Amino acid sequence: MSVFHLIIFICFLLSISYLVFLTSASWCTPSAFPQQTTRQFEQRTDRFWEFQEESNIWVEVKLPFDLVSCVNDNCTKVGLIDQKSKTEEEHLANGKDVSNKTKNLKMREGDLTGLEENSYTVLPLRRRMSLTKMSDTSVWVTGESGSIYERFWNGVQWVIAPHDLQISAGRAVSVLIVNQTIFAISEEGNLYQMKLTDWVELKPAFNQSTNKEAEQSSVIQMKSGTVSYDGLRVYFCTKTGLLLELSEVEPPRWENHGRPPGADVAAIADMARIRTDLVYTISSTGDLYEYDKSSRPSWKKHLQSEETDKDGSLVPLQGCMIYGLSGDHSVSLFLLTKGGKLVERRLHQRKWKWITHGSPEDHHLTSITPLLEDELKERFFSLFLTTSTGSVFEYQIPKHLGTAQEDQISEAWQNHMHPPNAKAARGIPGLKFQLGRILFALDDGRLAELHLPGLGGQNSGPTNQFNRKKLSSKYIWSILDAPESEGWNGEYCTEERGPMNCIAGIKDEPNDSGNIRSLTRRRKGTKAQQDYLSLGTSRSRLVKASEEYRFPDNWINTSFRLRLVQAGVSFFIITEAGLIFEYLYAESVWLWLRHDHSTPMRGALGNYNGSVFFVDVYGTLLIRERSNNELAWVNCTAMRKGRQIIGGPPWDGMSSKLKVTAEDALFFVSKSGRLLQFSVALRKFKWKDCHNPPETKLACIIDQEVFRENIVFVVGRNGRLYQYNKVTELWHEHHQSQHLVLSRLPGTAMRPSFFSLTGSLFMLSEDGGLVEYHWNAWNGWNWVEHGTPSKDVTLVAPPSPCIKGNQLFLIGSDGNIYLRYMDQLIWRWKNCGFPQNGDGDTRDQTEMGANDRMQEVCMDNDPTANLDINLENPNDQNRKCDPKVAPTRPIPFSEDSVIFELRDGRLAEIQKVQDSKWVWQRIIGTPTSSCKGCYLTDRFNI
């Protein structure tokens, strides 16, 4: 056989074998292969990155993170990346067996009336919160916003003193106090020292004998720090895994202890009380190391046992060291595993061993509160630990604990739960600042004190002497307010003489009614816990479903027809036909400028740094801004994660008082009823979905950061008031009476002084009455219903801006405007009519009743004076003029004047001339007014 025929024969055999293989493959049943569709995605990391098209870089995202798919500007959520851990908590977060375990928990705990539906929700990590004790009268706090403040007992009450880093330093993450010297670590890893009242950056400087890595002090970034028990030195771990020591402060003396061989220093677990040069650290891989400067080698690794290894490696967090737990010379270091279990590294009779203490059933432990040197209970040590769901557990350990099982106490875990409508922050250890009193940072930015009855709380100062036998063993919660930097209502102390003095408080003298103001201020602590409700806890739902509410067709146009750009110089108006006109004062002449766009507009929703935000008939958000020497349009909805919107913030504030920061953003309401955050600072535009309360969609924004920094107040389509916290990204519902249903119209904020948090939110009720939501430091939040000016008049438009902190205008159903103002602590109504209404009813109605009404005049000047129109033949029917005020939300034009729209399309300006005396200053003709004889100004298209 030739070579050619041999090759042909081999090819024939190969083809036959290939056919046999295909035939046999076709005989295989589907069960022979695993079903790929039944496989589930297993998340094995908590770190993910997102590609930013604007900067062309990858940026690490914060979990939880929504996976959104956008096709033709239609974006939908297709998934969620959440933080996972290989514990029972993962099954709880996924919703498996939650109902059964909730029932079991109720049976174990008894009557748990405060248990919410979201009790098993895993909380996000709060990486900037910390608590540091300076003395029994001083506790330093870093908030989630990165601010630093001090809770100080001035002898009369607890006051809050701000100690923020300078803006250029960024946010703070922790505070350390070493021998009366205060240090702060910024989020960027820089170390600052407080000298007098200023923060000065302190860079580590090492001796020439140290290695090259330590010499590069300019690139050393601090991650965390721990002060020794003698309070004379502090140890730092850096972001690169080094262990540094600051042994002396003045002058600074730095030592670099390096890192364990083949590992790093991710956290300092604790330090020995007897030997200050003995430090225990945890690596990023979860291994325990011991550093002893006097031994060789200096670093020693503690190997884990098989039992502890099952619970996972250690979490790089601060632990707690106890002496004499199992003997006079024993040492116990309590730590947490990544599985959420409590473990102990015990040294007894010169032998180390691991002991697993576990965790409460169905709970994942996230932090340990260090002990005080002297404990209240004589028979037990008590460890207080927080869980990933915001609860606090007490773990009781008897002293001189034996190794036998019978020595273990029953009911070792005691659940103290959490304060009403609040949760303890995940991963943030508490602070025992006195016996029987423990401070915890809350997930919503506030503080809470867990204390024994009669021993603590908002109104209780430091306690030096008490009778231990008479104290109850049951702990109770008290919520402590945080400052405005965290979105809350804690007012800063002042230098003025009185109870709020920053150094020494003085009690107020009784007033005419015999009440003491300072004591009234301090009694509001218990009520404050009831003002803020966790979502889903409200018992009253008058409106069945928010989806049933339908907005009027002209809702956007009437609520956002007018927008101020620059006080006294420029404002915009959107016509019924969707045209955009700007009224501009240039070169001593008032001009109408028309801004053309391809689609009709429905409203002007915001103004930031000279750029105006509009929404068109399709819900598209557009920016009108100046680019070089020309005006341009920017489509924001077309950007990544952009949405269609229906509303925005009601007020931008006076442009002369606005400050531009690197975190500036505007908030909008989407068509689907969600709150959207649009970052605008430095033109780094970015959308963020802030969601909405679970029980309702949003209707409108009442106020954005005018009344309270970092807080957006909104009204749901169910007629209830909610707030969103920019710092914590949490929603809260405000307590509201059953009969009160708010209208779905924007509101206005009234805050008389920037230095005081006292003020009010004004809204309309569903039946057309004026409603005030007032806050002051003495009584907290209170609802006040002002009603209507008279029985036959209802209010039909959103309130005007606040003037001088005690006046605002409202539009009545009769076409008149009404002034609501405060005179000698009494709210009064005044009918200011409408332009050309010199004979109108100008009665002033007070809160005293109909029989005590007073006569006042709104001081109408000559109707023909200062008008931009020709008033000849005012009764001419062809002119179609109607000077009554239209139900359009008014805007401020200056600090003492307001612009209204009239029913015939013209505009009218009213100006304050003295206290509550107002004058109709002029009528402004518009290009599209039905009053044809009024338009005399020039017009330009741009």
Side-chain angles (χ1 to χ4, degrees), residues 378-403:
E378 298 179 357
R379 295 176 53 197
F380 303 101
F381 285 112
S382 289
L383 292 179
F384 289 84
L385 306 99
T386 62
T387 70
S388 60
T389 56
S391 296
V392 174
F393 279 85
E394 178 184 359
Y395 184 62
Q396 295 183 344
I397 314 169
K399 294 182 180 179
H400 304 292
L401 182 65
T403 57

Side-chain angles (χ1 to χ4, degrees), residues 164 170 240 244 267 331 470 544 546 559 611 779 800:
D164 290 339
T240 56
L244 306 182
V331 178
K470 294 184 179 181
K544 295 181 180 180
S546 59
S559 298
S611 299
N779 302 313
S800 77

Side-chain angles (χ1 to χ4, degrees), residues 16 40 157 178 231 320 344 462 468 530 581 687 740 831 834:
I16 293 297
Q40 294 184 352
Q157 65 184 44
V178 186
C320 179
E344 175 189 354
R468 299 186 180 183
Q530 305 172 5
F581 289 96
W687 286 96
L740 178 59
N831 184 351
F834 52 88

